[in-house]
């Protein structure tokens, strides 16, 4: 196996089978976009470590919340950033410094939003360039692996209980398309293994 193949294999594992995840900006309200990932992960019995991070709260959804990534007892393999766009670069910089493998960014306000957003996108690219950190997003509703309970997503379609598990990986530029595939697939008896979707 070449070095690039080994790195790709490691990235694939961290993306779909992380041993630990952190939720930066996690909300106490499980019905909010920023509260859904924690609620979904707990409902799906994800077996990895889950660390809610919220600098303004010591508790989120009846769980201990940590003030910053640097305060966690370990470096999470994957981080879901759910803060406003202007806070994202600093968090990504911290992830790179810590050696986080995958960072998923929920916020929009990047390349699609004009010159300032384009500059922010370029900043993210520079931050991860040459590092071992990779970004999913921005404007990503998250990553799902139904086979191991990784419901690291803010997509409201997963509020429905018992999604069908199958063998299909769905990757879409549209989170609403992922939602339609999951809900219509279930109605037709078609299940998915994993999904990655943008907002």
């Amino acid at each position: 196996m070449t070095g690039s193949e080994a790195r790709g294999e490691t990235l694939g594992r961290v993306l779909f089978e992380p041993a630990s995840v952190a939720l930066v900006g996690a909300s106490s309200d499980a019905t909010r976009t920023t509260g859904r990932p924690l609620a979904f992960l707990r409902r799906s019995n994800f077996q990895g470590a889950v660390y809610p991070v919220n600098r303004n709260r010591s508790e989120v959804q009846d769980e201990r919340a940590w003030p910053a990534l640097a305060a966690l007892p370990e470096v999470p393999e994957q981080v879901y950033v759910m803060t406003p766009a202007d806070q994202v670069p600093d968090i990504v910089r911290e992830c790179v410094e810590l050696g986080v493998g995958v960072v998923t960014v929920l916020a929009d306000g990047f390349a699609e939003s004009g010159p300032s957003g384009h500059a922010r996108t370029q900043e993210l690219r520079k931050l991860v360039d040459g590092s071992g950190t990779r970004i999913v997003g921005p404007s990503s509703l998250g990553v799902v692996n139904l086979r191991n309970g990784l419901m690291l997503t803010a997509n409201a379609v997963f509020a429905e209980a018992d999604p069908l598990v199958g063998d299909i990986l769905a990757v879409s530029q549209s989170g609403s398309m992922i939602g339609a595939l999951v809900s219509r697939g279930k109605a037709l008896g078609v299940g998915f293994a994993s999904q990655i979707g943008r907002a």
Side-chain angles (χ1 to χ4, degrees):
M1 181 182 294
T2 66
S4 60
E5 288 173 334
R7 286 191 295 273
E9 186 175 288
T10 298
L11 177 61
R13 185 196 64 74
V14 171
L15 182 61
F16 290 114
E17 300 177 358
S20 55
V21 299
L23 308 170
V24 180
S27 171
S28 287
D29 185 347
T31 66
R32 292 186 60 185
T33 301
T34 53
R36 289 176 195 148
L38 179 58
F40 291 169
L41 286 164
R42 292 313 185 201
R43 192 191 68 199
S44 65
N45 296 313
F46 175 65
Q47 294 303 299
V50 179
Y51 300 106
V53 176
N54 188 315
R55 64 185 180 185
N56 299 315
R57 294 180 177 273
S58 60
E59 191 175 275
V60 169
Q61 296 182 38
D62 298 321
E63 297 190 29
R64 177 180 179 178
W66 304 79
L69 290 169
L72 299 179
E74 63 177 317
V75 175
E77 291 196 322
Q78 189 170 164
V79 171
Y80 196 7
V81 181
M82 301 179 289
T83 63
D86 62 342
Q87 298 176 26
V88 170
D90 285 341
I91 296 168
V92 170
R93 182 179 293 106
E94 184 178 11
C95 288
V96 171
E97 292 170 352
L98 291 171
V100 173
V102 174
V103 180
T104 300
V105 176
L106 174 64
D108 55 12
F110 288 83
E112 81 289 349
S113 63
S116 62
H118 180 73
R120 196 175 287 130
T121 300
Q122 291 300 107
E123 183 179 4
L124 291 187
R125 287 177 176 162
K126 289 178 182 178
L127 286 171
V128 300
D129 187 36
S131 76
T133 301
R134 295 294 175 263
I135 295 177
V136 177
S139 193
S140 175
L141 283 174
V143 179
V144 172
N145 183 353
L146 294 174
R147 293 182 172 181
N148 65 359
L150 179 69
M151 302 286 280
L152 194 61
T153 181
N155 196 326
V157 72
F158 292 102
E160 296 183 21
D162 303 320
L164 287 180
V165 181
D167 298 317
I168 301 169
L169 165 63
V171 181
S172 175
Q173 286 285 96
S174 166
S176 60
M177 179 61 72
I178 290 287
L181 286 171
V182 170
S183 59
R184 293 178 186 176
K186 184 175 180 179
L188 296 170
V190 177
F192 292 84
S194 307
Q195 295 95 14
I196 302 176
R198 293 194 66 194

